[in-house]
Amino acid sequence: LAVPWRWGCSPRRSGAACPSAGQIRAAFLRFFEERHGHRRLPSAPVRPRGDPRLLFVNAGMNQFKPIFLGTVHPRSELAQHRRVVNSQKCVRAGGKHNDLEDVGRDTYHHTFFEMLGNWSFGDYFKEEACSMAWELLTEVYEIPRDRLYVTYFGGDHSLGLSADEECRDVWLRLGVPASHVLPFPLKDNFWEMGDTGPCGPCTEIHYDHVGGGRNAAALVNQGSPDVVEIWNLVFMQYSREVEGNLLPLPQHHVDTGMGLERLVTILQNKRSNYDTDLFTPILDAIHKGCRAPRYQGLVGDADVGRVNMAYRVVADHVRTLCVCITDGIYPGFSGPELVLRRILRRAVRFCSEVLQAPPGLLASLVPTVVEVLGDAYPELTRNANQIKDIINENEAAFLSSLERGRRIIERTVQQMQPSTNFPAEVAWSLYGSLGFPLDLIDLMLEEKGITLDSAAFNELALEDMKRKAGGSQAGQPGNTNTHLDVHSLAQLRSSNVPVTDDSPKYAYTLGQHEQYEFSPCQATVLMLYRDQSLHKEVGEGQRCGVILDRTNFYAEQGGQDSDQGYMIRLGQQDVLFPVESVHLCGGYVIHEVTAVETLRAGDQVQLFVDEAQRLACMTNHTATHLLNFALRRVLGDSTEQRGSHVTAERLRFDFDTKGHVTVEQLLQVEQVVQDLIKKNEVVHMAEVPLTLARRVQGLRAVDEGYPDPVRIVSLGVPVENVLTCDSEAAMQTSVELCCGTHLLQTGSVEDLAIISERQLVKGISRVIAVTGRQAKEAREVGQCLAMEVDSVSLRMKQRITSIPEMQNLSKEVGQLTKVVASTAMPQWQRRELQTILKALQRTANTAIKKLELQQAEKKAQTLLAKYCNQPVIIDTVPADSLSILMKVVNQLCDKSPGTSVLLLSPQASGEVLCACQVSKNCLPAFSAADWAVAVCTQMEGKAGGSPIVAKGSGNAKGMQGALTTALEFAQSKL
């Protein structure tokens, strides 16, 4: 192949036209595809599939893990790959690899980046991988050879690994000077996927930005901005076992990764990633949309007002937002969604406060990002309008919170004493009520030269975590502020304090973009409740219950968790009273708050519900009704609800049943629910007289007291139709008495997966289910585990004659069994996989015993021939385990009943195994247990057993003396 990529540009030709980032990316892909026969694959989405340990795809190899781990299904498309090349979208923010806090402070950290990579799965190895990399860099990209340095693994004595001289010699043969080929230890040049699994030495290629004929070897891997790593070639040739030892992999793989941003920086003769054409169009667009001066690339103290940092933050973060939203990760409240929410809010804050940009700047950058990245990732072009809408919605929500939070911080700082920490209570209010990420609070305080009282903040977080985990126990202080005692209730009634009007909790609508809109509610403080007594006033810092004339907060009842959120006093927008829980007692709704300032009866307040938490509860509550209907449809009309609990995370449902719920029934229940979701039925709700409601045929109700009038929730059928005389509509759908908050259409549930089903007691079962994104993730994880189980099953069917190999397979089955038991996945699939794994474990155990017996029989025959029915046999034999050694002893004694046998087996670890059996003819004078103890004590070990059989172990250093002791002991007893 002729090299078609001659741009006339290299770090030596600064006057020539530079290649664009698009050309550089395309050159990489074409080089491996056309010249070296690699298959080009598209980038995987940045949302990991079936890997709950990852927040985002953070490396090119993520999608190939099943190949490296050997779990790929042999008939899958993935298993057919031998040589692959691609450019992978990666996000490093949150989790183990988290660059979020560093973005903007320097000129090279990013949350989103592109990883160029080529892979070999059991095809080529070190020679070809290094040769291809050198050819691409020096001949195609024309990078000067004297500016490149390569590192290789220098060995590790503790692991018994020698230096990777094979790799070193490859580089030397390619013409790299010996002074540019450098060894480094384990932490720099040995790559591992995790605590266990595939791993191996790696070789890295580093580039010297300065050049000029100097030798920069001393700066490699020293954190110098002048000498940077550009490409890492990993040679997967080992597998780290659970015990920590390394075993050679049956197939060798190559996994390489080169950051596009760094490569473009080199080929465009820049020193900063932000000066390349991956970022300059975005930086120009930011300048046009804000009031700040142009980007100058300044950092640290030179960057007055952090304007340049703001440019970098916004440019980086908008790329991340575009890619994540396109791949189905939206700003939210847990997992990767929460991380993306923090990224968006960080970008919005820099746009608004530092760059002085009007609202909408962030979304206005989307077309520029699409222009830069759209050719490589066409999905960005298709989703551009959706990306803008989601960014704008989230920006609008945060800007109002940001302004309020800024005022709160300003006001608090003004009231603080000099040289004091920022109050943890205020920071907690910002964090919990306004959704401020903690790092953003720290940043805003840092700009004012103030630090947060972190210890106190962590204490509040721990207290909140405990409260959420278990709640306050009866008799503890937590209940004294939220559960009205009989005397306080009587006092409220005698004082003519009206019960709380909580009808505003149902005041929400479905907007034109399928978004739920919740209206704030204005109310008056009627009374305060603390330490089992009513108060007209509660002081700053005290926790209390607030009784209002009306509320839009849902109080914990009917199995649904209470709302959370905050309240503010009218006219005092910068003082937030976080609402931690809500309870209903005697018609009064009690809002548990911690008073950040003095709170008085008569105060006018405005209430704001945590919308994300409320919507999640609504979703799960409607899903509970769907599940209730589906269980009755599949298991029969006699199936009755025994209890339920709805939280933002999941739903729990208890019901009576005549027997165990089968795998087939679980599948049928999920299918009925999914059919109702697809129909997107309208959820009808209305309050009707209780006597009228009870006449409805097929009505679902639990045995509890209902208010009158009572609320009916009907799926797909208007309540008035359900109430008509002789109507059987409720027999064909879900109609329940329910005071909970619900979705307005069933389609918003998206999906439901039952992730647990078990019998609480005979006749009563409990299911736990998740909905929406969690349900989808549970299914993805289930599919991945099913593929792993299939892979083990196939390997188990192969003829294995090696005991260690079969033991490793048995161990793998055991580990998979634990993972399947503990991972959130569809329960029907868990049961299927558990059945398969149980059978596989039996097969493995049987095979191991059979192989051990065969091996023992061979060894026994050899020893019998050697000793010819002598009364005592003492010898050393090779054996992989104590189990095998014991079987050899048993076989010898079975074939020669009058013989007493003691065998030692030295192991590679330095341990010596010991097993013995005494002929019954020699009892009681001769004891096997005493014999083993005498021998193992000589080897500084331990032993135990019965008079007939015993076993133990010791140290190899004392083995010769132990053999002598064994013979002397036997002779003294015979």
Side-chain angles (χ1 to χ4, degrees):
L1 264 175
V3 180
W5 309 288
R6 295 293 185 188
W7 302 302
C9 174
S10 79
R12 291 175 295 184
R13 303 176 185 172
S14 57
C18 292
S20 68
Q23 288 175 313
I24 294 168
R25 185 194 298 110
F28 181 92
L29 298 172
R30 287 172 57 196
F31 173 80
F32 283 100
E33 182 180 27
E34 297 176 12
R35 182 172 291 196
H36 293 288
H38 288 60
R39 181 174 181 183
R40 185 192 299 196
L41 294 182
S43 170
V46 293
R47 176 184 284 282
R49 290 179 177 171
D51 192 342
R53 291 160 290 192
L54 278 182
L55 289 170
F56 303 96
V57 165
N58 56 26
M61 53 73 62
N62 289 160
Q63 65 175 310
F64 304 119
K65 273 187 180 181
I67 298 178
F68 300 139
L69 294 170
T71 59
V72 63
H73 195 287
R75 294 192 298 273
S76 69
E77 185 180 11
L78 197 60
Q80 312 312 313
H81 297 325
R82 290 295 173 265
R83 298 183 175 206
V84 165
V85 64
N86 87 337
S87 177
Q88 174 63 48
K89 300 175 290 186
C90 297
V91 174
R92 288 189 179 172
K96 180 181 176 183
H97 299 289
N98 183 9
D99 290 342
L100 179 56
E101 289 309 300
D102 295 316
V103 171
R105 298 180 188 272
D106 54 40
T107 61
Y108 49 87
H109 273 99
H110 304 290
T111 51
F112 165 75
F113 63 97
E114 298 176 70
M115 185 72 85
L116 303 173
N118 62 289
W119 289 267
S120 165
F121 306 119
D123 190 353
Y124 59 81
F125 206 44
K126 297 177 184 178
E127 181 89 35
E128 298 92 333
C130 295
S131 177
M132 292 177 200
W134 193 249
E135 179 187 1
L136 177 64
L137 293 178
T138 61
E139 295 181 21
V140 177
Y141 291 141
E142 297 184 325
I143 296 176
R145 296 167 183 250
D146 62 355
R147 290 200 182 193
L148 296 175
Y149 295 79
V150 295
T151 64
Y152 67 93
F153 178 51
D156 189 284
H157 294 299
S158 65
L159 291 173
L161 293 175
S162 58
D164 192 358
E165 295 176 355
E166 178 190 358
C167 177
R168 179 199 65 189
D169 293 344
V170 168
W171 288 118
L172 294 174
R173 285 197 298 274
L174 286 169
V176 183
S179 60
H180 286 222
V181 182
L182 312 169
F184 278 90
L186 193 80
K187 69 180 183 68
D188 294 306
N189 278 79
F190 196 90
W191 187 90
E192 304 199 45
M193 187 183 294
D195 294 334
T196 60
C199 57
C202 64
T203 182
E204 296 175 344
I205 304 174
H206 296 249
Y207 174 77
D208 177 16
H209 276 286
V210 176
R214 71 169 185 166
N215 188 319
L219 297 177
V220 172
N221 277 338
Q222 298 304 309
S224 169
D226 293 335
V227 180
V228 295
E229 175 206 335
I230 56 172
W231 205 345
N232 187 11
L233 285 63
V234 179
F235 306 122
M236 294 195 193
Q237 61 189 91
Y238 300 109
S239 175
R240 187 176 288 282
E241 303 301 296
V242 177
E243 296 81 6
N245 58 309
L246 297 175
L247 294 179
L249 282 174
Q251 263 197 334
H252 290 175
H253 306 299
V254 174
D255 163 21
T256 86
M258 176 161 57
L260 176 67
E261 291 76 11
R262 283 193 183 180
L263 179 62
V264 173
T265 300
I266 291 167
L267 295 179
Q268 293 185 356
N269 298 306
K270 306 296 183 184
R271 291 299 301 271
S272 162
N273 296 354
Y274 291 92
D275 291 337
T276 68
D277 65 347
L278 286 168
F279 290 92
T280 50
I282 304 172
L283 296 170
D284 290 342
I286 294 171
H287 176 65
K288 290 175 184 174
C290 74
R291 303 183 186 95
R294 276 193 173 276
Y295 177 70
Q296 297 174 282
L298 302 175
V299 295
D301 294 338
D303 182 19
V304 180
R306 298 193 179 192
V307 171
N308 289 266
M309 178 180 177
Y311 268 102
R312 290 188 289 268
V313 166
V314 174
D316 171 88
H317 288 8
V318 74
R319 286 169 23 115
T320 305
L321 287 163
C322 288
V323 168
C324 287
I325 292 169
T326 293
D327 286 349
I329 302 173
Y330 306 142
F333 290 84
S334 64
E337 286 82 6
L338 177 59
V339 176
L340 195 65
R341 180 176 183 244
R342 288 174 176 165
I343 288 171
L344 184 140
R345 292 189 160 199
R346 192 168 185 251
V348 169
R349 193 238 167 187
F350 275 99
C351 281
S352 170
E353 294 203 346
V354 182
L355 298 176
Q356 300 294 303
L361 171 64
L362 204 56
S364 75
L365 302 175
V366 172
T368 309
V369 175
V370 171
E371 186 181 330
V372 173
L373 297 175
D375 288 344
Y377 310 108
E379 59 271 22
L380 287 168
T381 306
R382 295 192 296 269
N383 291 282
N385 290 332
Q386 181 195 25
I387 297 168
K388 285 194 285 188
D389 289 344
I390 290 173
I391 289 176
N392 276 330
E393 287 169 15
N394 281 272
E395 180 182 36
F398 182 53
L399 281 173
S400 61
S401 298
L402 183 65
E403 180 57 29
R404 184 174 296 154
R406 189 186 59 76
R407 290 201 308 269
I408 290 171
I409 288 177
E410 291 280 359
R411 179 172 170 272
T412 306
V413 169
Q414 289 171 8
Q415 296 174 350
M416 284 170 55
Q417 296 293 323
S419 303
T420 56
N421 287 334
F422 190 82
E425 296 82 7
V426 178
W428 181 255
S429 175
L430 289 167
Y431 178 79
S433 301
L434 288 183
F436 265 57
L438 184 56
D439 60 316
L440 182 54
I441 297 171
D442 284 334
L443 197 61
M444 295 172 81
L445 294 178
E446 184 185 321
E447 291 171 355
K448 298 183 178 297
I450 297 170
T451 56
L452 172 65
D453 186 348
S454 297
F457 184 92
N458 292 336
E459 198 174 315
L460 287 171
L462 185 63
E463 186 181 329
D464 182 68
M465 188 168 62
K466 286 179 180 176
R467 183 182 59 77
K468 286 179 178 176
S472 298
Q473 301 299 316
Q476 288 186 345
N479 275 330
T480 62
N481 299 326
T482 56
H483 295 276
L484 294 170
D485 65 288
V486 63
H487 305 293
S488 297
L489 276 169
Q491 188 179 340
L492 285 169
R493 289 166 183 154
S494 65
S495 303
N496 295 318
V497 176
V499 295
T500 311
D501 171 20
D502 63 352
S503 60
K505 69 188 178 187
Y506 299 124
Y508 51 87
T509 58
L510 195 56
Q512 58 180 357
H513 298 299
E514 300 297 310
Q515 297 289 319
Y516 281 84
E517 297 172 359
F518 301 85
S519 301
C521 173
Q522 190 171 316
T524 303
V525 177
L526 301 180
M527 196 66 71
L528 301 162
Y529 185 68
R530 175 174 169 76
D531 296 334
Q532 293 190 313
S533 62
L534 297 169
H535 299 266
K536 292 284 187 180
E537 181 178 305
V538 167
E540 178 182 343
Q542 293 185 320
R543 179 169 288 182
C544 66
V546 180
I547 301 172
L548 305 169
D549 62 337
R550 61 199 307 268
T551 183
N552 59 348
F553 277 74
Y554 183 84
E556 182 179 356
Q557 58 181 319
Q560 179 178 326
D561 267 7
S562 71
D563 283 339
Q564 295 174 357
Y566 63 94
M567 62 177 72
I568 60 172
R569 269 196 288 243
L570 292 184
Q572 202 172 3
Q573 304 296 308
D574 56 351
V575 179
L576 275 68
F577 296 85
V579 177
E580 297 168 3
S581 65
V582 188
H583 301 268
L584 183 65
C585 193
Y588 297 98
V589 177
I590 319 298
H591 306 74
E592 186 179 16
V593 307
T594 298
V596 293
E597 282 192 2
T598 300
L599 196 59
R600 299 179 178 86
D603 283 349
Q604 300 290 303
V605 295
Q606 197 164 15
L607 308 175
F608 296 88
V609 168
D610 182 332
E611 297 179 3
Q613 192 247 4
R614 160 70 81 85
L615 184 57
C617 283
M618 287 164 54
T619 300
N620 287 341
H621 205 149
T622 301
T624 303
H625 285 215
L626 298 177
L627 180 64
N628 192 359
F629 172 78
L631 285 165
R632 193 174 192 180
R633 172 66 60 89
V634 173
L635 301 179
D637 290 337
S638 61
T639 305
E640 294 292 343
Q641 177 179 343
R642 290 291 184 180
S644 67
H645 186 211
V646 174
T647 70
E649 290 75 33
R650 56 179 52 186
L651 63 97
R652 189 192 74 212
F653 192 83
D654 301 340
F655 58 98
D656 55 15
T657 178
K658 293 178 180 177
H660 288 283
V661 183
T662 66
V663 168
E664 292 74 23
Q665 287 171 329
L666 286 170
L667 264 169
Q668 290 170 26
V669 169
E670 285 192 0
Q671 189 58 57
V672 171
V673 172
Q674 284 158 12
D675 289 344
L676 289 169
I677 292 170
K678 287 176 186 173
K679 288 180 182 177
N680 199 21
E681 300 276 20
V682 174
V683 181
H684 298 275
M685 292 168 276
E687 283 194 346
V688 300
L690 185 58
T691 52
L692 191 59
R694 293 219 182 264
R695 295 176 192 163
V696 175
Q697 294 185 56
L699 180 75
R700 310 307 305 271
V702 292
D703 186 20
E704 66 177 41
Y706 286 97
D708 191 5
V710 69
R711 194 170 177 82
I712 286 184
V713 178
S714 173
L715 303 185
V717 180
V719 174
E720 55 267 27
N721 293 2
V722 170
L723 294 172
T724 56
C725 189
D726 298 327
S727 170
E728 292 185 359
M731 304 291 287
Q732 308 304 320
T733 188
S734 168
V735 180
E736 293 192 36
L737 301 182
C738 182
C739 61
T741 56
H742 285 271
L743 297 172
L744 301 178
Q745 291 180 287
T746 60
S748 299
V749 176
E750 296 181 4
D751 192 10
L752 177 139
I754 297 171
I755 59 171
S756 173
E757 187 280 326
R758 64 184 179 92
Q759 279 208 328
L760 295 177
V761 293
K762 189 173 176 60
I764 297 180
S765 287
R766 167 172 291 176
V767 296
I768 294 173
V770 290
T771 59
R773 176 66 63 184
Q774 284 178 285
K776 184 181 179 183
E777 289 175 355
R779 295 189 193 285
E780 289 176 352
V781 169
Q783 288 303 311
C784 288
L785 288 173
M787 288 172 66
E788 290 189 42
V789 172
D790 284 348
S791 173
V792 172
S793 298
L794 286 169
R795 282 180 281 152
M796 194 73 80
K797 290 173 183 176
Q798 297 168 2
R799 184 173 175 80
I800 297 175
T801 56
S802 161
I803 292 174
E805 192 176 346
M806 184 55 78
Q807 286 173 332
N808 284 336
L809 205 53
S810 173
K811 191 184 296 182
E812 193 174 337
V813 171
Q815 290 169 342
L816 258 179
T817 301
K818 289 179 183 177
V819 172
V820 167
S822 61
T823 301
M825 62 186 293
Q827 180 68 5
W828 64 264
Q829 193 171 32
R830 189 196 320 277
R831 294 245 189 99
E832 284 188 347
L833 296 182
Q834 285 174 328
T835 300
I836 295 168
L837 287 167
K838 194 172 181 180
L840 288 175
Q841 194 68 73
R842 282 198 301 267
T843 301
N845 293 343
T846 302
I848 290 168
K849 286 178 183 176
K850 187 176 179 181
L851 289 169
E852 286 181 346
L853 279 171
Q854 290 172 353
Q855 193 179 105
E857 195 165 352
K858 287 179 184 177
K859 294 181 188 297
Q861 289 289 358
T862 303
L863 288 168
L864 279 173
K866 180 178 178 181
Y867 289 97
C868 297
N869 295 323
Q870 291 183 21
V872 177
I873 297 176
I874 298 169
D875 209 335
T876 61
V877 294
D880 292 329
S881 67
L882 190 55
S883 171
I884 295 173
L885 189 66
M886 199 73 242
K887 285 182 173 67
V888 177
V889 170
N890 297 152
Q891 291 269 350
L892 281 168
C893 292
D894 287 345
K895 294 179 187 298
S896 179
T899 302
S900 296
V901 180
L902 184 143
L903 298 179
L904 299 179
S905 179
Q907 304 294 299
S909 62
E911 184 184 30
V912 176
L913 306 178
C914 171
C916 65
Q917 183 170 335
V918 170
S919 171
K920 291 179 181 178
N921 301 336
C922 302
L923 295 175
F926 195 178
S927 164
D930 294 343
W931 198 13
V933 168
V935 170
C936 291
T937 301
Q938 182 69 33
M939 299 187 293
E940 299 178 352
K942 293 181 179 180
S946 69
I948 297 177
V949 294
K951 55 189 176 182
S953 63
N955 195 301
K957 291 178 182 177
M959 191 173 73
Q960 290 305 318
L963 290 169
T964 304
T965 299
L967 182 58
E968 290 174 352
F969 186 94
Q971 288 172 343
S972 70
K973 301 296 181 182
L974 293 175

